[in-house]
Structures are given as C-alpha cells and as structure tokens.
Amino acid sequence: MPANLIKGDEVAESVRTEIVKELGRIYDETGLVPGLAVVLVGQNPASLSYVINKEKQSKKLGFYSEVRRLPEDISQDDLLEVIEELNEDEKIHGFMVQLPLPEHLDERAILTAIDPEKDIDGTHPINMGKLFSDEKGFIACTAHSILHMIEHTKQPVYGKSAVLIGRSNIVGKPLALILLRRNASVTLCHSKTVGLADICREADILVAAAGSTGLVKGDWVKPGAIVIDVGVTQVGDRLVGDVDFDQAKEVASWISPVPGGVGPITITMLMWNALEAFKYKLEI
Ligand code: NAD
C-alpha cells in the first residue's frame, strides 16, 4: 500500500491555528502584538520571494512586520549597524537575516551580532549551545519543521532509529539533538559516510537533507519507515528532492513530497519562534 503523505500545508496550517489562538489570547490580556523583521541584502530572486511570503504570512497572522531591504554592496559595518538597531528596537521581538549574504560579508560575524533573545532563526551560537545542553532556546526553523512533520504522523519517536543524511548547522546537527532529546537513537550521515545505503535500511525515521537528487533509492528504505525529504534542487523548471519518491512511497508508511513538504512549514516556524520571543519578553 502506498505511504501516507506528509503534506507541508496541512502541518503548517495546524501550527498557524495555534499561533493565531495564542496571539488573540495575549492581545486580549495585554493589547500588545509581537513584531518581527527580516533583513534582506541584495536582490537574490529566491530570497526576495521567500521574504515577500514571510511578510505576507506574518501580517496575515497578526504580527507587526518590517522588511529592511538593503543594497547588495552594503558594507559589513553598515549591516552590523542595522542589526544593532533591530537589537535595540522595542517594537521588534525577533528578526532574521536572509541567507545567503553577498560574498564580501562575513556571515558568521553578522549572525553572531544578533541578540540571541531575538534570534528567531536559531542560528546564534548561544541558541545552538542551548540546544546542545538541553536548555530552552530558539531552534533552527528547518529542523523544527521536520520535528513537526514527524509528530504529525503520530508515530512514536522514543526508542526508534533515526538516520539523518546531511550534517549542516540548520538541518542535520540541530535535528540530531532534537531527536536525541526525544530518545531516538540517531545516526548522522554525510558525504564521507561509508555504507550509507545499509545505514538507511535500518532507519525507522529517515531524513534526507543532502541536496543530491535521487540519492535515496526505494531499496534504501526500511518497510514502514517515515521518510522526510528536505533536499531541494532546481532541475530545469522543477524542484526535485533527495529521495526517489515513486520508489520510496511503495515501501514507507509516511513520506513527504518535494515540493509541498518541508518548504511551506519553515516560514510558519519563524512566526512560531517570533511568538516565543514575544512571550519571553512579556515574561508570560
Ligand atoms: P549543506 O550543503 O549545508 O549540507 C549538505 C549536507 O549533505 C552536508 O553535510 C554533506 O556532507 C551532505 N551530503 C551531500 N551530498 C551527500 C551524499 N551524496 N551523501 C551523503 N551526504 C551528502 O546543505 P543544507 O543547507 O543543509 O541543505 C540541504 C538540502 O536541503 C539542500 O537541498 C537545501 O536546498 C535543502 N533545504 C531545504 C529547506 C526547505 O525549507 N525545504 C531548508 C533548508 C535546506
């Protein structure tokens, strides 16, 4: 029997419903709304469309929203000044810098300049460290979205074998820690892993985030596994994932498609983190 689909829109909608309910409750009690900002440097078309979506969604949900559009050739010092302004701005409870940044800018230095309490993208070393030490902090939106997708299946994570392909700071590493915290046994794989296919065949939960089209074949999937395809590669006019979907859906019990899987949830998780930042500020 083909696998059940994990539809990103459905997962995102259930998170949005919770956000709207919580915003309404806080507004009734305090008369305040959370503020969220996105910093966009340059005109990268993918970033531009992502930022437009973020702005639309945040306004629709009831956030105060700002986009700081900055020129491609902005200097490191001028960008750091904008970050400092947002750190100090009382209306803004959380903000993110849209990546990638132009090459002349030092991405690590920029992300580290964000106040960790406003770091709703979860990329500041302090928030990563909090995840490492099991403290409450912001979690990178993509990893957090994948957790919601797994939870959407209502299958237990406790004691399960989770194999993650890709060890980036925004997907594999934070997700490994999140799943460990939920008592999964986690194997984190990468481009130098030997015997990847056999490792995947043991996975109750298989997450592919390599950016390598068709990497995961149907016979790499354990019967009944949950398969989350995070990879997105533009092939001609199509977006293609890391998993051979047609083969894998015949073996898995749950599978996410590309497009329509993780993508639609990540923006919603940014709103979720902005709401958390707001509640932290209000001490509620
Ligand atoms: P990255 O380039 O930082 O990391 C890729 C990881 O995959 C590395 O750890 C690398 O070792 C591993 N890898 C690459 N090829 C491999 C192979 N053949 N076998 C095993 N491991 C391999 O990338 P990233 O930023 O983590 O993104 C990964 C993919 O997820 C990309 O396709 C990206 O577009 C996609 N992505 C999607 C969303 C979304 O919202 N849908 C968000 C973030 C990333």
Side-chain angles (χ1 to χ4, degrees), residues 30-43:
T30 65
L32 298 173
V33 293
L36 174 153
V38 177
V39 177
L40 175 65
V41 179
Q43 297 283 335

Side-chain angles (χ1 to χ4, degrees), residues 19-81:
I19 293 174
V20 169
K21 216 162 54 184
E22 191 66 350
L23 282 187
R25 184 184 70 76
I26 297 172
Y27 184 78
D28 289 346
E29 276 175 26
T30 65
L32 298 173
V33 293
L36 174 153
V38 177
V39 177
L40 175 65
V41 179
Q43 297 283 335
N44 176 320
S47 296
L48 206 58
S49 98
Y50 204 54
V51 167
I52 290 169
N53 274 335
K54 277 175 189 154
E55 198 180 18
K56 248 197 233 159
Q57 196 175 122
S58 57
K59 284 188 172 156
K60 199 169 158 198
L61 292 183
F63 288 82
Y64 167 73
S65 171
E66 277 183 23
V67 178
R68 300 283 180 105
R69 290 184 166 78
L70 304 171
E72 179 91 24
D73 61 354
I74 189 168
S75 70
Q76 177 89 3
D77 284 348
D78 287 350
L79 180 53
L80 285 171
E81 215 169 283

